[in-house]
């Protein structure tokens, strides 16, 4: 009941913690896997990814001990979306495949009773986002369409809102597809607003604001993003806000507030280290480098070394995550800087190496930009 209220995260966390204590005191453990799983959701939504990971592992272990296939599948789902947020995309996909292999639409009601939403379409949505990060943009879009189709067929409000968020908004945000992001955010806002789901309304405002910024309506978009962040905080949520902070920093730079933008990025990077939410780390470093360059140009100061350091750190972080799409975007920023410095041969070699890795998605913006820069 507290979870459904969408504004009582601490009360829900305390209730599940007490339920776990009672299970262990009485030795009647049939409710223990569910209570641990839902406590994991509380920590995840709050943005405490490292604690969420521990609880997801415990939930899976309890499901395996109980020899209950549905509890095991739910445990894999929780580990999948948590590893995704920790930017361990290969591990995330390994767990998400387990739920996809087990899932059938007739499991819907039982899963909703166990998890609060349906892990079947949710696993597809998270898998789509992981595929994009790993460098498979066409497969990512196909998987997102599968997730949306299944969620619409099931027509369960919390599940559909979740799929609009991840398969629609988050994927479009990572791809920098502003028009698709606007459409997905509008859809999420309308659906969540009609159903009275305030938490998902806040998410819709965040992404609608980001879309408006990227479409040139910077002031309106920034206000919308801040409104969405306030809505998130009001319900005790803190997950997946690094990308929003990244876009706010870009908007601050467009308005000429470079110091504010850099401070916003540093805040996001510090938060990522503390909570483990490292999904956006490469992009945060890359945008920091871009802001340093523009700030230097505005002040007549050479910021090349600082910017190059940020771009190199972005590339290194992306490689650690095996996140080829983030690596490509960061390499583009580095190579534009190398070209500006007259290091055209080095720029061409560096960009050609990452560009040649890709086998699909050549119509996407990043790969089109890479191709154009190589030709130039």
């Amino acid at each position: 009941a507290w979870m459904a209220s969408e504004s009582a995260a601490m009360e829900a966390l305390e209730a599940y913690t007490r339920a776990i204590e009672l299970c262990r005191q009485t030795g009647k453990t049939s409710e223990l896997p569910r209570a641990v799983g839902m406590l994991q959701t509380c920590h995840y939504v709050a943005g405490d990814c490292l604690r969420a990971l521990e609880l997801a592992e415990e939930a899976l272990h309890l499901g395996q001990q109980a020899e209950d296939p549905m509890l095991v599948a739910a445990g894999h789902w929780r580990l999948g979306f948590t590893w995704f947020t920790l930017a361990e995309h290969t591990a995330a996909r390994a767990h998400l495949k387990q739920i996809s292999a087990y899932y059938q639409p007739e499991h819907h009601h039982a899963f909703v009773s166990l998890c609060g939403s349906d892990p079947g379409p949710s696993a597809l949505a998270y898998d789509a986002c992981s595929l994009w990060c790993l460098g498979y943009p066409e497969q990512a879009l196909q998987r997102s369409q599968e997730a949306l189709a299944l969620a619409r067929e099931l027509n369960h409000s919390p599940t559909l809102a979740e799929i609009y968020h991840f398969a629609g908004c988050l994927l479009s945000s990572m791809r920098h597809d502003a028009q698709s992001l606007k459409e997905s955010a509008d859809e999420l806002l309308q659906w969540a607003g009609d159903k009275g789901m305030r938490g998902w309304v806040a998410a819709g405002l965040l992404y609608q604001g980001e879309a408006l910024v990227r479409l040139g309506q910077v002031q309106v978009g920034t206000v919308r993003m801040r409104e969405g962040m306030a809505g998130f905080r009001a319900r005790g949520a803190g997950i997946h806000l690094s990308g929003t902070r990244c876009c706010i920093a870009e908007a601050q730079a467009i308005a000429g507030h470079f110091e504010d933008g850099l401070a916003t990025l540093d805040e996001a990077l510090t938060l990522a280290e503390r909570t483990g939410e490292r999904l956006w780390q490469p992009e945060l470093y890359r945008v920091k480098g871009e802001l340093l360059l523009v700030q230097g140009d505005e002040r007549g100061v050479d910021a090349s070394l600082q910017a190059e350091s940020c771009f190199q750190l972005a590339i290194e972080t992306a490689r650690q995550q095996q996140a080829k799409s983030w690596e490509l975007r960061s390499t583009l920023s580095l190579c534009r800087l190398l070209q500006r410095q007259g290091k055209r041969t080095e720029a061409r070699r560096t960009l050609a190496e990452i560009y040649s890795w890709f086998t699909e998605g050549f119509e996407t913006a990043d790969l089109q930009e890479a191709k154009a820069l190589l030709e130039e």
Side-chain angles (χ1 to χ4, degrees), residues 76-77 80-81 84 92-93 95-105 118-132 139-154 159 162-164 166-168 171 174:
H76 282 298
W77 170 62
F81 66 68
F84 163 71
R93 294 203 69 218
H95 287 286
L96 295 170
K97 283 180 180 178
Q98 294 292 323
I99 175 71
S100 296
Y102 169 76
Y103 181 80
Q104 296 294 330
D118 194 323
S122 175
L124 293 172
Y126 281 107
D127 194 39
C129 294
S130 281
L131 279 166
W132 182 87
Q139 293 180 56
L141 280 175
Q142 180 181 347
R143 197 60 46 83
S144 72
Q145 290 161 6
E146 293 171 10
L148 285 162
L150 179 57
R152 286 172 176 143
E153 179 185 335
L154 295 169
T159 300
E162 182 180 356
I163 303 311
Y164 282 145
F166 291 102
L171 183 60
M174 293 192 299

